[in-house]
Amino acid sequence: MTSPAQRPEDENLGLGSNLLYGLQHVLTMYGGIVAVPLIVGQAAGLTPADIGLLIAASLFVGGAATLLQTLGLPFFGCQLPLVQGVSFASVATIVAIVGANGGEGGLPVVFGAVIGAALIGLLITPVFSKITRFFPPLVTGIVITTIGLTLMPVAARWAMGGNSQAADFGSMANIGLAAFTLATVLLLSKVGSASISRLSILLAMVIGTLAALAFGMADFSRVGAGPLLAFPTPLHFGVPVFKVAAIISMLIVVMVILVETSADILAVGDIIDTRVDSKRLGNGLRADMIASVVAPLFGSFTQSAFAQNVGLVAVTGVKSRYVVATGGLILVTLGLLPVIGRVIAAVPTSVLGGAGLVLFGTVAASGIRTLAKVDYRNNMNLVIVATSIGFGMIPIAMPSFYHHFPTWFETIFHSGISSAAVMAILLNLLFNHFTAGNSDQQSVFVAGTERSLRYQDIAALHEGDHFIGGKLYDAQGIEVPLQEDAAHAPRPRAAEATPATGRSEEKLPS
């Protein structure tokens, strides 16, 4: 009796290789995983020490979630080389909830929203495959693009110095430091090796911080104010507060995360050439959701797979899930060192602004790349994209737009992501699913994007009808008279000469 063939992801490369490749995975996603607590901490007005705790919690929970996803437990974990971490998709919604609930006092509301939305996500994972059709690339592309665009004001504020009350806010020194960091990112991306290019944002932040130290623009004096080693304190920022409007707002993000994680699981399965069935997909989604339920108890947020690490698997060809599990252990270890979080929290805000411009712009560009896959021919998809993104930009362009609306409404729609997602889902349903009543006469916005004919324009044509020299002939070559009027006078157009007759001729599709 032959033993079943070993799955490619089950190969164990040994301790040395696991550590080396695992560290590479951590470095690839480190900039992304620390960016979220940095943004949220700044928005909530936390002290550097508390921001350090947020960062440590994100590292710890991300590592634990990675171990669950790669090693697996019954019903949880897809056992694939996927790195988990705090999801960037939730940032703008979290910032909006924090702003609507009084800064630091809004964090318990955020934690309650994450727990509530993730619990709903956990409950719907068995049937999620049946509703993914309501989240096609049209919808997810709009949401991802909006995430990047809504974070641009954050990057601009960081580049100016972060604190609008400071005397040097918007100074040439601050903006110059941000510009230097941005230039460093671009230079490393262009001239560096592939590995340096992937780490360009992280390395640029280090170089920008060293430059800031040289000019007296960085202060690391408070890095030592706190323990070097500590387990993340549960409920350090307060007991979660559950508000329905905040949960609904976060649920939209959770649905997007489920779609993205599904795509990542299927993608990595295809890359390493292993079978991913519905059971395995469900186990992976449940791992995402249970990690997101537990994360707020330690001071972290929604968890999801990191797409850049899926790309790293493709580039390196290292398929072992034990490599990624080792990376998870490294993240857990870093999460037990709050001093690491305090060092990162001390990075000058202007440096973050320069790196954030690329980081947030990359998110928007990823959404645009997704939207490029959408078919815009003979449908209303262009109008759906335009309306949804425009609707999502309202609270960004005018933050006070919803101030006179009910509190629950303002909480949901004050987030550009929630606004864009709700509009995209509704319009996609209206135009692409509930098609009854759709006109065959396209909107002027759609008709202007490409040459097209309405059905009523060709309904009177017969099989074999064709044009020669601007005149219409039937299949037997008999000219069909055209009735002219002032509004629809025939216009001559260029056409190709037919090989048989040498005459200008254009046949209509039958």
Side-chain angles (χ1 to χ4, degrees), residues 380 382-383 441-450:
M380 296 292 288
L382 185 70
V383 174
Q441 300 186 33
Q442 294 180 348
S443 160
V444 65
F445 304 108
V446 179
T449 62
E450 61 179 24

Side-chain angles (χ1 to χ4, degrees), residues 160-236:
M160 297 174 73
N163 182 6
S164 60
Q165 307 301 318
D168 63 346
F169 183 72
S171 66
M172 288 295 293
N174 283 340
I175 295 176
L177 181 58
F180 172 75
T181 306
L182 172 61
T184 305
V185 172
L186 299 177
L187 185 64
L188 291 175
S189 299
K190 177 175 175 61
V191 303
S193 64
S195 57
I196 291 177
S197 180
R198 283 193 293 270
L199 299 175
S200 59
I201 290 179
L202 187 61
L203 292 175
M205 288 172 62
V206 173
I207 295 171
T209 301
L210 292 176
L213 275 172
F215 288 97
M217 298 175 66
D219 179 14
F220 285 84
S221 61
R222 288 179 287 185
V223 168
L228 297 178
L229 179 68
F231 189 85
T233 306
L235 306 179
H236 174 80

